[in-house]
Amino acid sequence: PLAAIVACDMPFVSPELIGALADRVEAEALDVCVPREKRGIGAVRRVAPSDLRAGARELLDQDRQRIRCLIDQVHAGYLDEPQIVEVAGSTLCFENVNTPEEFAAAELLA
C-alpha cells in the first residue's frame, strides 16, 4: 500500500533511502515522508500511502501541480540531511541530471 515517487532526472536515489522513508511512514503512521537537506525538500521523492491519489487528483484538477500543495494537506514527516547521509551514504540522491553535461558527469559517478 506504499508508493515511492521519484523524479526521472534523479538517478542517484537509493533503495536504502526509499526503505528509510517507508519505515518512517509505517512507524509514525504518516501520510507521507519527505527527504530534505539544507537546500530544501527533495522535490518529488516521497513514500506515501497510495490512497493519497484522490487528494492529488483534486489538486491537479485545480491546476495546483506543485507536490508541496499535497504535502501541506497531509500528515507529513521528514528525513533530514544527517538521517539521509546515515541511510544513503551521502546527499548525492538530491542531484539531478538535466543536460548532456550533467549526464556525462553522472555517468562518472555511477
Side-chain angles (χ1 to χ4, degrees), residues 2-24:
L2 297 177
I5 303 168
V6 179
C8 65
D9 66 349
M10 302 181 107
F12 300 112
V13 174
S14 69
E16 294 82 11
L17 177 60
I18 298 300
L21 293 167
D23 290 346
R24 285 283 303 276

Side-chain angles (χ1 to χ4, degrees), residues 4-5 19 37 39:
I5 303 168
E37 48 113 40
R39 293 179 284 180

Side-chain angles (χ1 to χ4, degrees), residues 35-89:
R36 67 179 168 193
E37 48 113 40
K38 59 187 163 199
R39 293 179 284 180
I41 66 168
V44 292
R45 286 180 304 283
R46 318 266 174 259
V47 173
S50 55
D51 62 354
L52 293 177
R53 285 179 274 196
R57 170 56 46 206
E58 183 178 323
L59 289 168
L60 289 172
D61 290 344
Q62 297 169 9
D63 201 28
R64 297 175 62 200
Q65 299 175 9
R66 294 180 54 101
I67 192 69
R68 187 81 207 169
C69 295
L70 182 60
I71 294 167
D72 290 343
Q73 291 185 356
V74 299
H75 181 51
Y78 297 89
L79 276 187
D80 290 316
E81 190 169 329
Q83 297 163 307
I84 293 164
V85 171
E86 184 178 325
V87 299

